[in-house]
Amino acid sequence: FANDKYTSNVCVPNDDWSQDYWNKVWGWVAALNEVVANYGDDVRYNNQVQISRIWRAWIFSRTTDLFGDIPYSEACNNSGQAAKYDTQKEIYYDMIKELAEASEKLNPGGDNMGNADLIFGGDVARWKQFANSLRLRFAMRMTEADPAKAK
């Protein structure tokens, strides 16, 4: 079959797909940064903040896997300046730290997003499990670049 994406059953790359993802990522990151910045010190929203940190790490992992070095440490920080590009190695190091901290701070007896959490339905234990499985996944990706840190 043939359409705008395939010709003779051979996939033809479409740069629009990656460009669309690139454009959308920064809106997602900006929204998550806003949650963390505005509610990070408010214990009433602790779990929502930690879940935002975990989801932000997931988004950044997908983005750096697709594009390599990307804006990370200064991404969507409302400075009005172009964000510097961080290396993939630096990004993975920081994401592992972020996930460890967020997982540790999750509180099963704290705030619960309930049905507003479309991924785990407010189940904090599953978010903790997700954060820890991401840390393992990221460590596996680091084995080539830094085996000692990956351990």
Side-chain angles (χ1 to χ4, degrees):
F1 66 94
N3 62 29
D4 66 331
K5 297 177 189 84
Y6 298 95
T7 304
S8 302
N9 294 328
V10 176
C11 182
V12 177
N14 182 336
D15 289 338
D16 290 344
W17 298 339
S18 54
Q19 187 63 53
D20 286 346
Y21 184 84
W22 179 264
N23 293 340
K24 288 179 181 169
V25 156
W26 309 115
W28 302 331
V29 169
L32 293 166
N33 283 352
E34 191 172 326
V35 170
V36 173
N38 291 337
Y39 301 102
D41 296 328
D42 191 334
V43 295
R44 295 175 300 166
Y45 302 105
N46 174 66
N47 287 340
Q48 291 179 51
V49 168
Q50 305 319 316
I51 288 168
S52 295
R53 291 173 71 190
I54 293 165
W55 196 246
R56 183 174 59 189
W58 166 250
I59 290 170
F60 273 124
S61 73
R62 302 268 313 189
T63 307
T64 192
D65 286 349
L66 286 169
F67 298 104
D69 298 348
I70 59 169
Y72 174 78
S73 61
E74 297 176 2
C76 306
N77 65 2
N78 290 325
S79 70
Q81 303 296 316
K84 72 174 179 122
Y85 278 60
D86 297 290
T87 67
Q88 199 170 38
K89 182 177 179 179
E90 293 168 332
I91 294 166
Y92 270 105
Y93 279 5
D94 191 70
M95 287 191 306
I96 287 174
K97 176 191 73 67
E98 278 285 299
L99 289 168
E101 289 174 5
S103 176
E104 180 66 30
K105 290 181 178 180
L106 283 170
N107 178 1
D111 56 305
N112 188 317
M113 294 170 59
N115 291 336
D117 174 0
L118 301 177
I119 299 170
F120 295 124
D123 188 337
V124 173
R126 291 192 65 200
W127 276 105
K128 185 177 282 255
Q129 183 181 32
F130 180 59
N132 291 330
S133 66
L134 284 177
R135 286 174 54 207
L136 177 60
R137 180 182 192 152
F138 297 170
M140 291 302 297
R141 291 207 172 112
M142 292 171 54
T143 57
E144 298 296 320
D146 191 345
K149 178 73 173 179
K151 280 186 179 183

